[in-house]
Amino acid sequence: CKGGKGDADGWRTVGFWAHRMTPDMYEKLIWDGWRRSGQFLYRPRMEDCCCPQYTIRLDTRKFSISKSQKKILRRFSRFCEGTWSPPSLRDGETSADGSTSRNWTMSVRPAKFRQEAFDLFKKYQIAVHKDEPDEVTPSSYKRFLIDNPFAPSADGDEEKDGDLPADGAYHFEYRLDGVLVAVGVCDVLPRSLSSVYFFYDVDTIGFLSPGTLGSLLEIQWVQRAAAVRSAFVWYMMGYYIHSCPKMRYKSHMRPSELLCPVTGEWTSIDDALEKKLDEHEYTQLVDGDARERGSGDDVCVLIGSTIYDIESAMAGELLDEDAARSARRTAMRGNE
């Protein structure tokens, strides 16, 4: 972000700390442009941001995989089968049991602090985001990817074997020959899987296009879970910044949809919409009148001893904008 309107760093948002919230209530908020970083919920004031962030989602029933995405999955499959490796691993390397095949597993576990996952997160942050080692602490990791406003899972620390778990915050753990190599932090909500963050071992799987691969695996998980809960079909990918190259992969999950910040309606990403965003970073995506905020919202927030609907609290500037600015860095990382 090169700076711009609003704050010195070009970021304008509103937000609040949510100490307890049902997954259903949170899902209503994210469908209206909100996101969370730990227990902090925020929504950018897009018209005041130098890099507008559009909420993006995918109906997994309609997902049409591209040739390049198929190539990523084929390469991943061949890597696991032991029939392909990058040049750096072609010197007769075998898996732990002496064979050339590799065992890839995935488990879904409630969001809790685990030293193994934190160590992988720290390595990723230093390698990819160039964080200073002393900046990546267990407490900052916990605030960002462990803390959440949902009630603790009744399933404790038990792993899930492919079944759809209860709504809440989870870590999708990916292991290669038993070693943790990637973690997808996700919220399981009544109708959607909301991707929060994804981190991985750069040295071990960095050559597999892990960001796109992680999204494809999560889409497949939603498609399987829909057999258990028919309404569970949406894959929420956070925010999409059209001018950010790192986020372009999200728009390639076709047919993705963006939330119009003016009308509150969803529209598919196509060539015409991308051209419109090329010309205007912030723009009305769907023709029509502006929605009336606060007229139909059933999500409320308690401030002091008074209950406000979200939009009235925003209009009255009762939400904590200072806290929103302090959460900027981790919030933006969670959107990449």
Side-chain angles (χ1 to χ4, degrees), residues 109-127:
R109 308 178 70 184
K112 291 186 177 181
F113 183 88
R114 301 176 182 90
Q115 187 65 43
E116 184 182 25
F118 169 70
D119 292 341
L120 179 61
F121 172 77
K122 184 170 185 176
K123 178 180 179 181
Y124 173 82
Q125 291 299 123
I126 294 172

Side-chain angles (χ1 to χ4, degrees), residues 280-301:
H280 306 283
E281 289 188 342
Y282 173 74
T283 185
Q284 181 171 339
L285 304 179
V286 180
D287 293 336
D289 297 332
R291 58 180 165 177
E292 292 186 20
R293 292 205 178 273
S295 61
D297 293 341
D298 56 357
V299 176
C300 299
V301 57

Side-chain angles (χ1 to χ4, degrees), residues 66-84:
S66 68
K67 290 183 179 180
S68 62
Q69 292 161 355
K70 287 181 180 178
K71 183 177 180 180
I72 289 172
L73 287 178
R74 283 197 303 268
R75 185 172 58 190
F76 167 66
S77 295
R78 291 180 60 201
F79 174 73
C80 292
E81 293 166 356
T83 59
W84 176 87

